[in-house]
Amino acid sequence: MAIKVVIGHRLGKGQAAAEGVKQAGGEAIVIPGLGADMKLGDVMQENDADLGISFCGSGGAGAVTASTKYGYKMEFQLRTIEAGLEAVRNGARVIGFGFIDEEELGRRVTEEYAKLHPEKA
């Protein structure tokens, strides 16, 4: 059973973070198209995802939307990978970042989630 991570990027990107999720043994679902971050909660629900990552200039409008609509615990306006790891440790299922679509982010967030939820890894 792989950890499912949905990635929504305001500009339709997210492929680098998705590659990192895969490197950590997770399943990455990248939402295509502009404004993808705003569909994060819907796609998480559709795929019974474990985590959602939102990228946008404000640092996570999609995370706020997912939390409001579905009740996911979230942290947003994150600007570093370390902040994302801390959010996962604090139980966030949706994390919102500025534009830092990086392999390292996807890999480390997935690895951190796996440490906390070994039954999903």
Side-chain angles (χ1 to χ4, degrees):
M1 169 185 272
I3 296 166
K4 287 185 190 176
V5 182
V6 175
I7 300 167
H9 191 290
R10 177 62 54 127
L11 302 177
K13 298 179 183 182
Q15 292 78 14
E19 183 57 36
V21 169
K22 292 174 191 173
Q23 289 170 6
E27 176 185 343
I29 301 164
V30 178
I31 305 168
L34 294 175
D37 61 316
M38 299 307 287
K39 301 173 189 172
L40 186 66
D42 295 336
V43 176
M44 286 179 70
Q45 280 290 120
E46 291 167 12
N47 291 278
D48 193 28
D50 300 297
L51 285 173
I53 300 174
S54 172
F55 293 112
C56 78
S58 69
V64 174
T65 301
S67 178
T68 301
K69 189 170 182 179
Y70 294 104
Y72 293 123
K73 184 172 181 185
M74 63 103 185
E75 289 193 30
F76 69 110
Q77 295 183 329
L78 305 176
R79 302 291 181 204
T80 67
I81 293 169
E82 290 302 322
L85 299 179
E86 187 63 28
V88 171
R89 287 183 207 116
N90 290 336
R93 289 197 50 206
V94 179
I95 48 181
F97 293 92
F99 291 123
I100 54 173
D101 177 20
E102 299 174 1
E103 284 183 18
E104 182 183 3
L105 184 146
R107 179 180 50 78
R108 291 185 64 198
V109 165
T110 304
E111 289 170 347
E112 192 64 33
Y113 188 87
K115 286 180 198 173
L116 298 167
H117 303 277
E119 73 283 0
K120 299 267 187 171

